[in-house]
Amino acid sequence: MYDFAVVGVGPAGARFARRAAEAGYDVVAFERGTVGTPLACSGHVSTDIWGYVPDDAKSELLQNRVYGARFHVGGPDSAAHPFYKREEVSNVIDRVELDRTLADCAREAGADVWEQHTVVDVDERAEDVALTVSNEDGTEAVRAKMVAGCDGPTSRVRKQCGLPEPGEILHGVLAFDPAPDDGDFVDVHLTAPRFFAWRIPRGDAGVEYGLGAPPGTSVNELFDRLTAAYDVDTEHFCSGAIPIGPPERVHSRRAFLIGDAAAQTKPFTGGGILYGMTAADCAVDAVDPDDPGSLRDYESAWRAELSREIALGRWIRRAYSLPEPVQQLGLRALSGEIGVHMDRPTSFFSREHLAKLVGR
């Protein structure tokens, strides 16, 4: 019997598997397809990402360096309000290779990582968890003391263990223009209902165009308008769910959720790579597979680490729905050089950022 079974080998699942294996636990991790595919989210991340991968991985993963963002209330021809730093704000990375790199780190730490294995049933019992796993040869039973649900926005672990759903699920789409672009700025368009659209230069990998919006919105039609406004033909279209708003509880007796399954994401961008891996580290430090009560410690730990950032992120997101004149006024007032960290909204109140505001 394993100490931990991990369902889903995205960044959160791979990080937890790696750290738990390094801590001496017996870990098995299941990925229903091939790690990293299909691509369903952006690869625009803060520079903190390099603390989670081997030093020699950066040269393979890095596609472009970003120094700021231009915000638009309308389309590409509308007034741009730039927010920037003199040093890198963020990086654009190969998102598929990131997942594969993190999975390799888990394997090297001693975790069993099984691709093409789908967990089809999760049965929480008094002393363990029984998983039914499907692969090309049929099904097999796997037992573990605890199960980590890292299986994304529509988590099977969450559903079968009776855990509550995220506050909302947005619909995100993205596609790529292959023309190289190593521009210093991403473009953000506050044109999608209650969310936004984006353009991200990815160096030699081309340009990423994307959009997120609530269910029921004609996301594909809005995306077509975006790419038409930029006069580009895109390829490799893909879509996925974006969970926003963690539920009041992300653990049961022997199961716990990490990453998108727990909606540990930034409400104002939908990004969850760094938040998910932060929560994975909290889980490894807090959870004892022989003590179900330790799951409460995980619940407290990840919320202490992320809840203030998520709460402030909700307020930022509300600005996306303000009347256009108010948005224009706010963007004009706040644009310019910043001292804000893209994953930590609370850094808006840092000495560095306040000094930038006062110095304008």
Side-chain angles (χ1 to χ4, degrees), residues 333-339 348 350-360:
L334 295 174
S335 65
E337 188 174 358
I338 59 172
F348 182 88
S350 66
R351 288 185 178 182
E352 179 188 3
H353 182 62
L354 293 177
K356 301 293 185 187
L357 290 177
V358 172
R360 290 176 188 170

Side-chain angles (χ1 to χ4, degrees), residues 2 12 19 28 76 94 104 138 142 146 150 168 201 264 281 293 334 345:
Y2 289 95
R19 288 285 320 283
V28 62
D94 185 327
D104 286 343
V142 176
M146 288 192 179
C150 308
E168 63 177 318
Q264 291 161 336
D281 287 349
L334 295 174

Side-chain angles (χ1 to χ4, degrees), residues 140-165:
E140 59 185 298
V142 176
R143 293 172 60 213
K145 295 176 183 177
M146 288 192 179
V147 59
C150 308
D151 48 342
T154 58
S155 169
R156 180 182 293 273
V157 175
R158 185 179 67 222
K159 185 174 184 179
Q160 295 201 325
C161 293
L163 290 167
E165 298 287 317

Side-chain angles (χ1 to χ4, degrees), residues 309 312 339-342 344-351 353-354:
E309 306 295 350
L312 186 54
V340 177
H341 189 288
M342 68 176 285
R344 295 193 290 271
T346 54
S347 63
F348 182 88
F349 303 103
S350 66
R351 288 185 178 182
H353 182 62
L354 293 177

Side-chain angles (χ1 to χ4, degrees), residues 107-347:
R107 290 186 179 99
E108 291 166 8
D112 293 333
V113 179
W114 296 355
E115 299 180 74
Q116 307 296 334
H117 282 67
T118 302
V119 175
V120 296
D121 189 66
V122 180
D123 182 15
E124 252 187 311
R125 305 186 295 199
E127 301 299 327
D128 63 9
V129 182
L131 295 90
T132 302
V133 184
S134 172
N135 58 61
E136 61 181 7
D137 297 321
T139 60
E140 59 185 298
V142 176
R143 293 172 60 213
K145 295 176 183 177
M146 288 192 179
V147 59
C150 308
D151 48 342
T154 58
S155 169
R156 180 182 293 273
V157 175
R158 185 179 67 222
K159 185 174 184 179
Q160 295 201 325
C161 293
L163 290 167
E165 298 287 317
E168 63 177 318
I169 300 287
L170 303 180
H171 181 192
V173 298
L174 55 87
F176 303 89
D177 172 10
D181 188 331
D182 58 359
D184 293 339
F185 283 74
V186 301
D187 287 280
V188 177
H189 297 272
L190 304 179
T191 50
R194 292 171 45 204
F195 215 58
F196 63 92
W198 62 88
R199 178 189 186 275
I200 300 174
R202 305 185 68 97
D204 290 341
V207 180
E208 174 187 319
Y209 293 87
L211 183 143
T217 306
S218 181
V219 173
N220 289 358
E221 181 180 336
L222 290 171
F223 182 79
D224 288 342
R225 291 181 193 171
L226 173 72
T227 53
Y230 275 101
D231 193 24
V232 293
D233 293 320
T234 55
E235 55 189 38
H236 304 303
F237 181 89
C238 52
S239 65
I242 304 172
I244 303 290
E248 66 273 15
R249 181 169 52 91
V250 300
H251 79 277
S252 53
R253 178 171 173 78
R254 289 191 173 273
F256 56 101
L257 308 177
I258 309 176
D260 281 7
Q264 291 161 336
T265 61
K266 294 180 286 186
F268 59 103
T269 70
I273 295 174
L274 270 297
Y275 282 17
M277 291 197 290
T278 298
D281 287 349
C282 291
V284 171
D285 293 340
V287 178
D288 177 351
D290 293 310
D291 178 13
S294 65
L295 290 175
R296 292 191 295 271
D297 297 330
Y298 163 61
E299 190 87 63
S300 298
W302 82 258
R303 291 185 190 276
E305 191 71 30
L306 296 174
S307 61
R308 290 179 66 227
E309 306 295 350
I310 291 174
L312 186 54
R314 289 195 189 101
W315 283 100
I316 294 172
R317 171 140 178 245
R318 290 179 182 178
Y320 300 166
S321 300
L322 291 173
E324 182 175 326
V326 178
Q327 290 178 333
Q328 295 279 17
L329 181 63
L331 289 171
R332 281 197 297 269
L334 295 174
S335 65
E337 188 174 358
I338 59 172
V340 177
H341 189 288
M342 68 176 285
D343 286 326
R344 295 193 290 271
T346 54
S347 63

